[in-house]
Amino acid sequence: IENSLSTVTFNKLTNDLLFMRFFCEVNANKRNLYMYDVYVYDVFEHYTDIKCKKYSEGVRQDSVSLLFNKIISSMINENNYTGVSTDNFSKESIQLLNEMIDNEVIFKSETKVKKGFLSKQIETVGFTFDEYRDYCITNYLLENYDDEEKILEFWQHMSDNKLTICEGVQKYLFYLSHTKYRESLFGIISKVPEYDKLYWNYIWNIEDKYVTDYDVQKWKKQIEENGSKM
């Protein structure tokens, strides 16, 4: 590890202790790690797979995915990305959620008092780590929004309302449009008005294997137009 630990990687891990925990859980017991860079999306993806396997033993194989989807769909429907009520969650979902709150850093719960004619305590649940929340919302969109119009409509909704998830979700959609889902997403994401800004902010965090001739030509054009100002 010492020979490949770059300054960029060191800073990514030490500047965010929650992300460091995710990274360490994903790479536990690995003997050879090449750490010239750390790709956040990949860490989150492997972390989610580990937790899905861990909490699906002896129960429905998709129980963790269903819980995530329930929380995220509630957030989207309520336009509230901090914490949503668990009143309409199933008994099984509540049981799994409580177990994960006790043992993981994924979720956090709060008890709030709803005021009205009658006071009532409401249990809410939210994500502990905003960056991971945005990753999960991005995955939810790609699994449940089945056409270009819905994706662009939600994108516009985030931008117009300056939602707290906007920066993170846009970043991950951009990342996926240039990596594993390039074929289906690139044509959509390249149409958004923020595309050029996103490109120059995030293209440098993409693995070399995903760089295409499109990128090379874009870089050449940028250098020709701006020279040393780039």
Side-chain angles (χ1 to χ4, degrees), residues 65-81 84 88-89 127 136-137 140-141 144-145 154:
S65 295
L66 289 172
L67 175 61
F68 274 60
N69 285 348
K70 178 65 175 175
I71 293 170
I72 293 168
S73 64
S74 296
M75 287 181 164
I76 291 174
N77 291 335
E78 297 176 20
N79 203 29
N80 176 2
Y81 299 95
V84 292
N88 63 346
F89 284 27
F127 286 88
C136 291
I137 291 172
Y140 176 88
L141 295 176
N144 294 277
Y145 286 31
F154 189 80

Side-chain angles (χ1 to χ4, degrees), residues 25-172:
E25 287 199 43
V26 166
N27 293 287
N29 302 318
K30 292 182 180 178
R31 297 180 64 86
N32 295 310
L33 286 177
Y34 296 95
M35 296 179 60
Y36 292 108
D37 204 348
V38 174
Y39 301 102
V40 178
Y41 187 94
D42 292 338
V43 172
F44 286 160
E45 186 173 46
H46 289 306
Y47 180 86
T48 305
D49 288 343
I50 290 170
K51 298 309 172 184
C52 284
K53 290 176 183 176
K54 176 180 177 180
Y55 288 96
S56 294
E57 294 178 3
V59 295
R60 286 185 56 174
Q61 293 299 305
D62 59 352
S63 57
V64 176
S65 295
L66 289 172
L67 175 61
F68 274 60
N69 285 348
K70 178 65 175 175
I71 293 170
I72 293 168
S73 64
S74 296
M75 287 181 164
I76 291 174
N77 291 335
E78 297 176 20
N79 203 29
N80 176 2
Y81 299 95
T82 303
V84 292
S85 170
T86 59
D87 279 357
N88 63 346
F89 284 27
S90 68
K91 180 180 178 181
E92 292 76 15
S93 292
I94 294 292
Q95 184 176 350
L96 176 58
L97 179 59
N98 287 337
E99 186 179 355
M100 296 185 77
I101 288 173
D102 288 342
N103 297 290
E104 309 294 344
V105 294
I106 299 173
F107 301 118
K108 60 182 179 182
S109 64
E110 293 182 27
T111 301
K112 297 184 177 180
V113 177
K114 182 180 180 182
K115 295 181 179 180
F117 290 106
L118 296 174
S119 295
K120 179 184 178 183
Q121 285 192 338
I122 299 175
E123 295 292 329
T124 66
V125 62
F127 286 88
T128 305
F129 190 13
D130 290 348
E131 189 85 8
Y132 184 64
R133 173 202 63 195
D134 297 344
Y135 157 84
C136 291
I137 291 172
T138 303
N139 274 0
Y140 176 88
L141 295 176
L142 297 180
E143 289 175 1
N144 294 277
Y145 286 31
D146 56 2
D147 61 41
E148 176 178 330
E149 184 178 349
K150 288 182 179 179
I151 294 288
L152 292 177
E153 184 179 308
F154 189 80
W155 183 290
Q156 195 62 46
H157 171 68
M158 290 191 297
S159 297
D160 291 345
N161 294 281
K162 297 179 173 59
L163 300 184
T164 57
I165 63 168
C166 185
E167 182 179 350
V169 173
Q170 287 184 351
K171 175 178 68 177
Y172 288 124

